[in-house]
Amino acid sequence: MRHFLNINALNKIDVLELIQRALELKAGAKPNYKSLTVSNLFFENSTRTHSSFQMAENKLGLQQIKIDPQSSSMSKGESLIDTLKTLKAIGVDIAVIRHSVTSWYDDVLNLEGHAIPQLVNAGDGSGQHPSQSLLDLVTIYEQFGHFSGLNIRIVGDLKHSRVARSNAEVLKNLGAKMTFSGPESWRPKDFEQFGEFVGIDQDWSQLDVVMFLRVQHERITQTENQTFLARQYHEQYGLNIARYEQLKEHAIIMHPAPVNRDVEIADELVESDKSRIFEQITNGVFARMAILEYVMEADNATD
Ligand code: CP
């Protein structure tokens, strides 16, 4: 049984093959249809990831069993593992799950001898966001055709961002030179293994990709929320016109979205020439099709 939980658990060849497959699908390649059934369980709010998985599933011809965790028996106390066993017993082959608990899947995978659907991680707490990471890789590869030697900076709320955690490691392993900027209290020590923490403006004009992160108000402390000053944050760590104009001609701006306009990125720059934010969202559908195909490859169901 194959799950898709952490892009950094894949080897480099598998990651590059997923990127290629997403780009083939974007170019119109015939999807690998299977008569399988999928449930999307989103315990945290989502616009992009949820609808993008739904679109990917539609394009792959998957049947969807709709479950809203808030109105399911989980609201009566049923555990996630019992819910997954129930879905499998009903005939669900794949469960796409977003959950606020970091590494929620560890408990599920530790229970041996239980039949559960194949799992796809749609974002776990401050842990990993592997489908976002793949769509980011697709977007960068589409722009540059390689990762080796690219100067990539991730800016902002590194501590709470599963996007940053997924991307920092996989991009370093693919050969990018990673640097990080953001408020001191949001700099996770373990990111030092992936790259250097620098002031946002250091070597700014040498950057190929700047990835801004959403300030995760739902994960920062009450005190941090009460003392957060949007205008000050924007001046210190945001993309403004002055910074934009100093970027290289071919440099691109990325953000996983939703964007706090005028906080991480000035409103007028969200749709600027260098911005790939909406292309990232488009690429998300094809990245997720490639992920679902990858998961389904290990399934014995007939076409
Ligand atoms: N980027 C992202 O995960 O967006 P959603 O929270 O809207 O899914």
Side-chain angles (χ1 to χ4, degrees):
M1 176 176 280
R2 183 184 272 175
H3 307 293
F4 186 82
L5 300 169
N6 180 347
I7 198 162
N8 292 297
L10 272 58
N11 65 41
K12 197 168 155 181
I13 291 169
D14 280 347
V15 172
L16 291 171
E17 281 180 2
L18 280 167
I19 294 169
Q20 290 294 353
R21 182 61 184 154
L23 288 169
E24 281 169 19
L25 289 162
K26 188 176 183 184
K30 191 174 171 291
N32 293 327
Y33 294 101
K34 291 250 183 177
S35 354
L36 298 182
T37 303
V38 61
S39 264
N40 301 315
L41 283 80
F42 277 66
F43 295 85
E44 267 191 348
N45 294 342
S46 166
T47 297
R48 273 145 292 275
T49 311
H50 197 169
S51 54
S52 179
F53 265 113
Q54 283 177 326
M55 182 61 81
E57 291 153 11
N58 289 342
K59 284 175 179 277
L60 290 170
L62 294 165
Q63 301 296 311
Q64 291 168 4
I65 296 292
K66 296 193 192 312
I67 301 269
D68 173 11
Q70 282 73 36
S71 59
S72 74
S73 284
M74 281 176 275
S75 68
K76 294 185 261 180
E78 187 167 42
S79 67
L80 179 59
I81 183 74
D82 278 338
T83 302
L84 289 172
K85 283 157 58 181
T86 301
L87 290 174
K88 183 66 182 175
I90 287 166
V92 171
D93 302 291
I94 301 169
V96 176
I97 301 182
R98 167 170 288 193
H99 207 291
S100 60
V101 175
T102 301
S103 302
W104 56 263
Y105 41 81
D106 285 349
D107 287 345
V108 175
L109 298 181
N110 281 340
L111 285 171
E112 285 179 20
H114 296 271
I116 57 166
Q118 287 166 266
L119 303 174
V120 175
N121 181 11
D124 62 290
S126 299
Q128 298 285 327
H129 197 344
S131 66
Q132 176 71 43
S133 188
L134 184 63
L135 74 88
D136 290 341
L137 297 180
V138 169
T139 306
I140 295 169
Y141 191 85
E142 197 173 37
Q143 182 74 24
F144 297 99
H146 67 96
F147 298 96
S148 184
L150 290 181
N151 284 312
I152 301 183
R153 182 160 302 165
I154 308 183
V155 179
D157 182 0
L158 296 152
K159 182 177 170 184
H160 305 99
S161 173
R162 52 198 175 206
V163 178
R165 190 161 288 282
S166 288
N167 280 344
E169 185 172 351
V170 72
L171 282 166
K172 179 180 185 282
N173 289 338
L174 290 170
K177 184 173 177 296
M178 302 302 298
T179 51
F180 310 105
S181 294
E184 197 134 356
S185 56
W186 292 347
R187 293 180 186 177
K189 191 90 184 114
D190 63 334
F191 271 51
E192 285 171 5
Q193 65 190 301
F194 309 127
E196 201 186 341
F197 287 100
V198 296
I200 185 168
D201 295 309
Q202 185 177 313
D203 298 329
W204 182 258
S205 61
Q206 302 305 310
L207 297 175
D208 300 296
V209 179
V210 192
M211 205 176 272
F212 290 89
L213 302 171
R214 183 173 67 84
V215 177
Q216 309 234 331
H217 289 287
E218 72 277 27
R219 292 189 219 284
I220 66 179
T221 64
Q222 202 179 6
T223 312
E224 284 175 313
N225 266 317
Q226 281 164 351
T227 54
F228 181 76
L229 298 170
R231 187 182 292 187
Q232 189 184 69
Y233 180 90
H234 182 61
E235 277 169 22
Q236 290 182 328
Y237 303 108
L239 182 67
N240 54 28
I241 298 280
R243 287 188 176 122
Y244 183 86
E245 287 178 347
Q246 287 170 41
L247 285 166
K248 278 197 238 192
E249 195 180 333
H250 71 243
I252 61 168
I253 305 299
M254 299 175 70
H255 191 303
V259 180
N260 293 308
R261 286 177 184 254
D262 288 328
V263 181
E264 299 103 23
I265 300 182
D267 181 26
E268 66 266 40
L269 297 175
V270 173
E271 285 94 356
S272 58
D273 287 348
K274 294 185 191 305
S275 168
R276 294 293 178 276
I277 296 170
F278 288 92
E279 201 57 35
Q280 287 173 263
I281 295 167
T282 299
N283 287 340
V285 174
F286 304 103
R288 289 173 176 119
M289 287 174 77
I291 289 166
L292 289 164
E293 282 188 347
Y294 172 83
V295 169
M296 291 191 296
E297 261 171 35
D299 194 283
N300 293 324
T302 50
D303 286 333

